[in-house]
Amino acid sequence: MVHILGINLPDNQVARFALTSIYGVGHHTAHRLCARLQVHDRCKVKDLSPFQVTALASFLSSPATAPPLPRYPLAKPDYVPPPPTTPLSELQAAFQASQKIKKIKNSDPLKNLKIESELRREIRENIAHQRMIGSYVGRRHAMHLPVRGQNTQTNAKTARKLNRLDRH
Amino acid sequence: MRPSQILLKSGRSAWKGPYFIPFKNLRDALVNHESMKTQARGCTILPNFVGVRFSVHNGRDYIPVLVTQDMVGHKLGEFAVTKKRFTFRATKK
């Protein structure tokens, strides 16, 4: 059993699917997370190394402030290496300059990840906003009825269960 | 992924921009506190509509809507309810 942010991931599940038990992580995000930590597709939770578990926990606790992944691009086919006599400091300066350009280009999609209480708060705030301005969506939430024009003569059970102002 | 979709929350194409009606006497309405009578329920509320009183058609009559800062980006029709709440009639004539 692995505990991450107070959620326990069952030992015998594949890591990619076990991660979906976190609120706000679906199949796609779980796959991206696994790719980030270099967890292979069939890896089970019990096979995760302690380093991977701690890395996962530290990433999920604050995705926005997590250090960006280092990216080392491959050489292009027309790349000509500098002559061996060039000093090391010049090479390092050129490498760091190229890294700086890359950082702006590659935005990490997982950076905006919101999970658990943060996501719940966002949903609650969105509903509260709709209610405050008095729009149709907010009214329907307050009445525990479907928001997007579904039938209400029968069914509407999900709306009755979920649509309320203090949702979580 | 798609930055324009954050600005336009609907599925509308980014190049079209938001759908709105150029109200002619918007400034007069703002100054004189007159209500703008409109049937354009699909018109997006723009930042320069803030403070204007609209009378939005709901299919039968005109519902007064005072536009506030938080309503920007929503549609006018969202604030004029079209459905009547069902109630049982107390006595039958």
Side-chain angles (χ1 to χ4, degrees), chain B residues 65-83:
Chain B
V65 173
L66 173 61
V67 176
T68 59
Q69 186 63 51
D70 295 313
M71 292 183 188
V72 172
H74 291 260
K75 311 276 180 180
L76 280 177
E78 285 183 48
F79 305 99
V81 183
T82 56
K83 288 176 188 169

Side-chain angles (χ1 to χ4, degrees), chain A residues 13-62:
Chain A
Q13 273 186 20
V14 176
R16 184 146 72 89
F17 298 123
L19 281 176
T20 57
S21 58
I22 301 169
Y23 186 82
V25 177
H27 285 266
H28 181 78
T29 317
H31 207 171
R32 299 313 329 141
L33 279 171
C34 283
R36 189 187 179 94
L37 301 170
Q38 298 176 341
V39 176
H40 62 85
D41 271 3
R42 293 197 195 165
C43 183
K44 297 206 169 175
V45 173
K46 62 186 171 192
D47 300 333
L48 287 173
S49 69
F51 172 75
Q52 283 170 332
V53 174
T54 49
L56 187 66
S58 69
F59 177 76
L60 288 180
S61 60
S62 60

